[in-house]
Each structure stands twice: as structure tokens, then as C-alpha cells.
């Protein structure tokens, strides 16, 4: 455990931050998200290739944010950050997956329609 710091600017994590890392992380994220946006706008390739492309761009964006914004690396001094990310990712995937599943089946569970719809007939 590190010694207490009276000045927040002397904290090691604050000292590790730099404007170059934030700016380059922002630019990398914007470029990768723009690439994903362009892929979604143009003519769609086969679904498997499309899904892999979008997933790869999202993973690259997340990795650039983790390395540049959060300063994640494999050094022993910062291992707790990497462990916390590894332990958080399954919770995030589970919560997003359950939300997608819930909304995907929402219409079938709540919008119950009769088996046949009655057409009004005109009496002559």
C-alpha cells in the first residue's frame, strides 16, 4: 500500500496521466468508431464478416482506450488495474447480453395478439 498523499496532484496515477495520452486515445477511439460507422453505412457484406469487422473495430477501440486513457499495462505495479478490468468484463457482457435477450423477446411476451383477427364485414 502506498503512503497517503496530501496533495492529489502528487498521486502516482495522476502523475502518470499526460495530455498526449488523452489526446491520442481520443483520436484513436474516434477513428475506430468512424470506421465502424462507415462499415455500417455502406453495402453490407455477409453477416459473419460484418459482425467480425464490427467486433474487431470495437475491440481495437476498447484496447486503445484501456492502454491510453486508463494506462493499463502488464507491469507488476499496475497489475490491479488489469485484474479489475478482467473481472469487470464478464459482468458487463452478462448484463448487456441479458438486456439484449430481454428486449429481443419482449414483444413475444407482452404483445399477445389473437390467433386470428376478425375482419369487419359490411352488411348489405
Amino acid at each position: 500500500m502506498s503512503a497517503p498523499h496530501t496533495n492529489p496532484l502528487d498521486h502516482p496515477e495522476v502523475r502518470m496521466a499526460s495530455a498526449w495520452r488523452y489526446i491520442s486515445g481520443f483520436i484513436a477511439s474516434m477513428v475506430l468508431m468512424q470506421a465502424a460507422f462507415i462499415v455500417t453505412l455502406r453495402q453490407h457484406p455477409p453477416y459473419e464478416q460484418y459482425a467480425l469487422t464490427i467486433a474487431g473495430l470495437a475491440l481495437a477501440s476498447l484496447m486503445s482506450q484501456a492502454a491510453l486513457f486508463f494506462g493499463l499495462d502488464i507491469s507488476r505495479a499496475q497489475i490491479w488495474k488489469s485484474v479489475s478490468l478482467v473481472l469487470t468484463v464478464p459482468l458487463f457482457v452478462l448484463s448487456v447480453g441479458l438486456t439484449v435477450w430481454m428486449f429481443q423477446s419482449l414483444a413475444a411476451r407482452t404483445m399477445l395478439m389473437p390467433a386470428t383477427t376478425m375482419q369487419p364485414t359490411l352488411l348489405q
Side-chain angles (χ1 to χ4, degrees), residues 9-86:
L9 296 178
D10 288 337
H11 196 275
E13 292 175 357
V14 175
R15 309 277 298 163
M16 186 178 72
S18 69
W20 177 85
R21 288 174 65 153
Y22 288 124
I23 291 169
S24 60
F26 178 75
I27 290 172
S29 297
M30 292 305 294
V31 166
L32 290 166
M33 286 189 270
Q34 182 67 29
F37 183 66
I38 290 170
V39 167
T40 58
L41 287 181
R42 59 169 223 222
Q43 192 69 353
H44 293 292
Y47 180 75
E48 293 81 15
Q49 182 183 359
Y50 174 72
L52 287 174
T53 303
I54 295 296
L57 289 169
L59 183 65
S61 179
L62 288 173
M63 294 302 288
S64 70
Q65 289 176 7
L68 296 169
F69 284 149
F70 303 122
L72 287 182
D73 56 13
I74 55 174
S75 67
R76 293 287 284 162
Q78 299 294 328
I79 195 72
W80 63 271
K81 285 184 175 181
S82 301
V83 170
S84 66
L85 179 68
V86 167

Side-chain angles (χ1 to χ4, degrees), residues 51-123:
L52 287 174
T53 303
I54 295 296
L57 289 169
L59 183 65
S61 179
L62 288 173
M63 294 302 288
S64 70
Q65 289 176 7
L68 296 169
F69 284 149
F70 303 122
L72 287 182
D73 56 13
I74 55 174
S75 67
R76 293 287 284 162
Q78 299 294 328
I79 195 72
W80 63 271
K81 285 184 175 181
S82 301
V83 170
S84 66
L85 179 68
V86 167
L87 295 175
T88 302
V89 167
L91 295 174
F92 179 74
V93 169
L94 185 66
S95 64
V96 169
L98 288 175
T99 303
V100 167
W101 172 73
M102 179 185 70
F103 280 107
Q104 184 269 335
S105 62
L106 182 67
R109 291 184 287 122
T110 58
M111 303 295 182
L112 301 176
M113 297 291 176
T116 60
T117 56
M118 304 270 305
Q119 297 282 340
T121 59
L122 297 174
L123 296 175

